[in-house]
Amino acid sequence: MPTSPDRRTTDVTTPAKDGRRAGFGRLTVLGLQHVLVMYTGCVTVPLVFGAAAGLDAATIAVLINADLLVAGVVTMIQGAGVGRFLGVRMPVMAGAAFTAVTPMILIAGEYGLQAVYGSMLAAGVFGLLIAYPFAKAVRFFPPLVSGVVITVVGLALIGVGVNLVVGNDPEAVDHAAPSRLALAAFVVLVILLVARFGRGFLAQTGVLLGLLAGTAAAVPLGLVDFSAARTADWVGVAAPFHFGAPEFPAVAVLSMCVVMLVLFAESTADLIAVAELTGKRLTTADMARGLAADGLSGVLGGVMNAFLDTVFAQNVGLVTMTKVRSRHVATVAGGILVLLGLVPRLGALVAGLPQPVVGAAGLVMFATVAAVGVGTLRKVDFDGTHNLLIVAVSIGVGMAPEVAPDLYSRLPNGIGIVLGSPVTSATLLAFFLNLAFNGGTSRRDPGLVRAPAPEGKGRDAGGADGTPAAEPDGLVHGKR
């Protein structure tokens, strides 16, 4: 278990022991490193959603810039904090969540983009209101529930990535053309080679390098179109409510509120992980402020045409690798994202990336999300319990609309939106089945994330399964 830094070194930016903070120049370099690690995952969400919703390149560019702007603001809040209400004050990065993509696509198809951003705005208000109660009731989202949800999020998006590779129009001349498949395979190969032979920071940029290499290879194939970038402004910001006044269909709002609960569960796990890495004692109030920042992303995203944000897990890994514990690095990184969000020409360039390239990179990232969910389910006790049945039913029923899109076509539209979203239906099923069979927590697995036992103590320091004793407020964490 990481040792806890003393008060002088809690905020250091290097493993040095003199307690000095790095200068602004070094903070900028460290912040830029965090931005590079999360940038591809952040912009992939608007790229995938925009393509699936049938938006043109100029409109997708608007979404990209808004996405970066809101992610930057939320990241700065997480690092710096705003009074007693917002921000966990730890080195975490916020970015657009894949979890919301499938429900947003369904809502856009049924009600339009005004309903997408109206329901997002409502979900953001909902998140702000329940942040503290959720932090107190986190036991209702143990690995049994969160593992199912994360797995389904990844599996449900794989089809979206594949459609980008082959093309969304089956009647198009180049639909599933060998050139598109070869280009996608090349992108995946680059990602694999970077992961296999890259070292340190380079190994974490495989998807970014795959996008760049794939775009270069697509030029002679005529699949690259950056014409929108030539006419885009260098500096600017999209007007609030770009698609018109928000609309609030009840079913769409319900679906996005369920997504917000899922994001809270994901962020909780990542916040706990960062607290363990930095030696911070994470209280319920700290957790609630971090989750409230996620809720704020919904409000800002609904107004600015962006996306729901969550704590990015890949940046948690970067904290592990670099040993950089300073929350000020995250604050500076958020500032960099804000600046990037104010450059429309950059958004237009990203929007011009070839769909087979984006689809191939997305395919790897979506499958990685599913694999992370499987890893979470490894923490669940399946011996002598009903947990295997809960996982099977939740994933099976949740994924059914993906293989049979017309499954709920004869039901009322509102019900179809809820049940037709794998994320929403799997979340509701896993949550209520866990309540029915386990009373809220999966047996022998009472917490969302297990923390290691305190140093110098064995399994008797906590529960019978090695889970450490909880703090008075119910959260488990590193010593002061």
Side-chain angles (χ1 to χ4, degrees), residues 5 17 31 66 77 84 128 206 220 267 273 355 390 408 418 457 466:
K17 300 179 180 179
I77 289 173
R84 295 180 297 170
L128 287 170
S267 288
Q355 285 194 355
I390 294 173
Y408 302 119
V418 175
K457 298 183 180 181

Side-chain angles (χ1 to χ4, degrees), residues 324-375:
V324 174
R325 300 188 296 260
S326 174
R327 63 191 177 99
H328 298 298
V329 173
T331 305
V332 171
I336 294 173
L337 286 173
V338 169
L339 292 176
L340 293 175
L342 297 175
V343 184
R345 184 161 294 194
L346 177 62
L349 279 172
V350 175
L353 294 177
Q355 285 194 355
V357 173
V358 175
L363 185 64
V364 173
M365 288 190 288
F366 302 152
T368 300
V369 172
V372 169
V374 173

Side-chain angles (χ1 to χ4, degrees), residues 113 286 338 434:
L113 291 172
D286 292 330
V338 169
N434 185 47

